[in-house]
Amino acid sequence: DEGKKLSTNSDASGRYHSNWLNMMYPRLKLARNLLKEDGVIFISIDDNEVENLRKLCNEILGEENFVSNIIWQKKFSRANDATYFSTMHDHILCYAKESKLKNENGWEINLLPRTEKDIKGYSNPDNDSRGVWTSVVLSAKSGTEKLKYKITTPSGRECYPPDGRFWSVNYDKFLELVKDNRIWFGKKGDGIPRLKTFMSEVQSGLRPNSIWFHDEVGHNQEGKQQVKSLFEGKGYFDGPKPVRLLNQIIKISSSEKDDIILDFFSGSATTAHSVFESNLDDNGKRKFIMVQLPETLDENSEAKKDGYNTIPDIAKERIRRAGKKLKEEHPEKAKDLDLGFKVFKL
């Protein structure tokens, strides 16, 4: 009504990619300025613009600050009506304001907690006083002839590295490891030697993988169901992000419990919902800033019929209802949780 175009960029436009780049460039420029020195940005994108986005980020954020292109499995069922491939993933580009590789004060990733499945891989069959352990192969792909020495097991069996491989330590180091009870020859003492790795000596958590499967961080249908659960069965949005996906991002990126999380394409405000959950989980004081153009809703849409005029109208109500639900489900933990927010219009 003010003559400013707020509609989605149409792929029928002759300047489709140019329009998108012109829209993204100033936002990314501002985002970089707003990031603190050890800050990080995650950008979700599909195949259509990922190549252009990568070039844009390299220019604005610096190619040396690229961290990863995370693959998120956003769907779990096959689309058999696809023209070519059934697309089941999105990309999440991750860039640090300052890479740890270039600046020791740069962004440092948080480790993920070990799951029960990870812990199940550890045991203590020889009652080692250092606690539970797992074992890894003692051979390597490359090395010198000196690393092809003979090892005699406690049962008297003679072992050499597998064909084309080498022992990963020299003979003197191997003897040290045996003396320190760090070599496992199997319960009967006749197995190929393996190196013991104790849980008490490894990192307290796990490095995140670059592929995030839907069973770990959720999928689009889960995101839609979460919105439905807040709005009496009405989804309103086609493919909102699941809260678990944003929880994962906050978990690995937010080193301080009073960080500010900014989402300048906030849509259904999943990020705000996730900040509430993250604070509930670790007694944090994180704050969020959600930014969204006031895109008007289709006159025939379910949301419009229910009295919502714009996307931010639904998002604001989603934040209110998410906070209310957390208080109802976790009355004790949520009693001191800050669930308030302010709304500004530019």
Side-chain angles (χ1 to χ4, degrees):
D1 56 344
E2 296 173 357
K4 301 186 178 88
K5 185 180 177 185
L6 298 178
S7 61
T8 306
N9 183 25
S10 169
D11 58 7
S13 166
R15 291 178 54 82
Y16 176 56
H17 294 291
S18 294
N19 289 341
W20 188 84
L21 288 165
N22 287 333
M23 180 273 295
M24 284 296 295
Y25 192 94
R27 286 165 170 77
L28 284 173
K29 195 88 170 177
L30 281 169
R32 186 190 183 283
N33 294 342
L34 288 168
L35 279 174
K36 60 180 184 178
E37 291 310 300
D38 61 345
V40 64
I41 184 169
F42 293 82
I43 313 169
S44 174
I45 195 79
D46 63 16
D47 284 332
N48 291 317
E49 296 289 359
V50 65
E51 185 181 356
N52 289 326
L53 179 62
R54 183 81 180 262
K55 290 184 173 73
L56 206 60
C57 289
N58 284 346
E59 180 177 324
I60 295 171
L61 297 161
E63 191 172 356
E64 69 279 5
N65 294 319
F66 170 75
V67 177
S68 182
N69 178 5
I70 301 160
I71 301 300
W72 166 47
Q73 186 188 9
K74 66 178 180 179
K75 294 181 180 179
F76 61 89
S77 58
R78 187 189 307 272
N80 224 29
D81 57 350
T83 305
Y84 292 113
F85 293 92
S86 172
T87 302
M88 303 184 73
H89 74 279
D90 267 356
H91 304 263
I92 302 177
L93 298 188
C94 176
Y95 279 79
K97 174 72 174 284
E98 292 283 346
S99 169
K100 197 79 175 173
L101 299 173
K102 300 288 182 180
N103 183 345
E104 62 178 19
N105 296 317
W107 176 60
E108 188 164 352
I109 198 168
N110 297 327
L111 301 179
L112 292 171
R114 294 181 185 277
T115 64
E116 287 186 16
K117 183 181 177 182
D118 300 318
I119 296 171
K120 279 181 181 177
Y122 287 80
S123 61
N124 194 0
D126 59 348
N127 296 316
D128 196 301
S129 60
R130 288 163 290 197
V132 294
W133 52 269
T134 188
S135 64
V136 296
V137 294
L138 195 66
S139 64
K141 289 190 292 185
S142 59
T144 65
E145 289 301 311
K146 287 184 178 180
L147 295 174
K148 287 190 173 182
Y149 53 85
K150 178 179 72 176
I151 290 177
T152 305
T153 69
S155 67
R157 177 188 170 194
E158 294 182 353
C159 292
Y160 290 90
D163 288 343
R165 295 181 69 88
F166 307 81
W167 295 126
S168 55
V169 295
N170 63 41
Y171 188 66
D172 290 339
K173 179 64 178 178
F174 172 76
L175 294 178
E176 287 179 27
L177 293 169
V178 170
K179 189 176 181 181
D180 197 26
N181 191 24
R182 288 179 180 269
I183 299 295
W184 176 244
F185 291 98
K187 289 183 178 180
K188 296 180 179 179
D190 62 351
I192 295 173
R194 294 175 64 88
L195 180 65
K196 291 163 68 175
T197 304
F198 295 91
M199 183 179 285
S200 59
E201 296 176 352
V202 298
Q203 291 176 315
S204 57
L206 300 172
R207 296 275 163 190
N209 289 323
S210 60
I211 300 180
W212 293 1
F213 294 103
H214 72 81
D215 57 341
E216 300 167 350
V217 297
H219 46 76
N220 278 344
Q221 280 302 310
E222 180 178 311
K224 190 163 187 173
Q225 290 304 318
Q226 286 168 339
V227 174
K228 277 187 172 183
S229 71
L230 295 172
F231 287 92
E232 290 83 38
K234 297 176 181 179
Y236 294 147
F237 294 91
D238 288 333
K241 300 288 190 295
V243 176
R244 283 198 292 161
L245 176 68
L246 276 298
N247 285 351
Q248 173 106 320
I249 288 174
I250 291 174
K251 195 173 290 180
I252 65 176
S253 62
S254 176
S255 55
E256 303 294 334
K257 291 185 180 180
D258 60 352
D259 278 337
I260 297 173
I261 317 296
L262 168 65
D263 185 346
F264 51 94
F265 287 102
S266 62
S268 65
T270 301
T271 301
H273 191 162
S274 174
V275 170
F276 284 162
E277 285 200 1
S278 298
N279 286 340
L280 183 75
D281 185 54
D282 63 7
N283 298 314
K285 301 291 182 184
R286 298 175 190 84
K287 297 175 183 176
F288 58 77
I289 300 173
M290 302 289 104
V291 183
Q292 177 61 45
L293 287 172
E295 292 183 40
T296 54
L297 300 169
D298 188 280
E299 290 295 328
N300 299 317
S301 67
E302 193 174 31
K304 183 73 173 180
K305 292 173 183 175
D306 288 343
Y308 301 103
N309 294 315
T310 66
I311 288 178
D313 288 342
I314 309 174
K316 288 182 284 186
E317 185 61 21
R318 192 251 176 99
I319 298 172
R320 295 186 191 102
R321 294 187 182 208
K324 183 182 177 184
K325 188 176 182 182
L326 285 176
K327 279 209 163 185
E328 290 172 351
E329 293 178 348
H330 309 278
E332 280 302 309
K333 286 184 73 177
K335 64 181 179 181
D336 297 322
L337 193 64
D338 183 359
L339 299 170
F341 64 99
K342 298 176 182 178
V343 180
F344 299 90
K345 182 177 179 181
L346 180 63

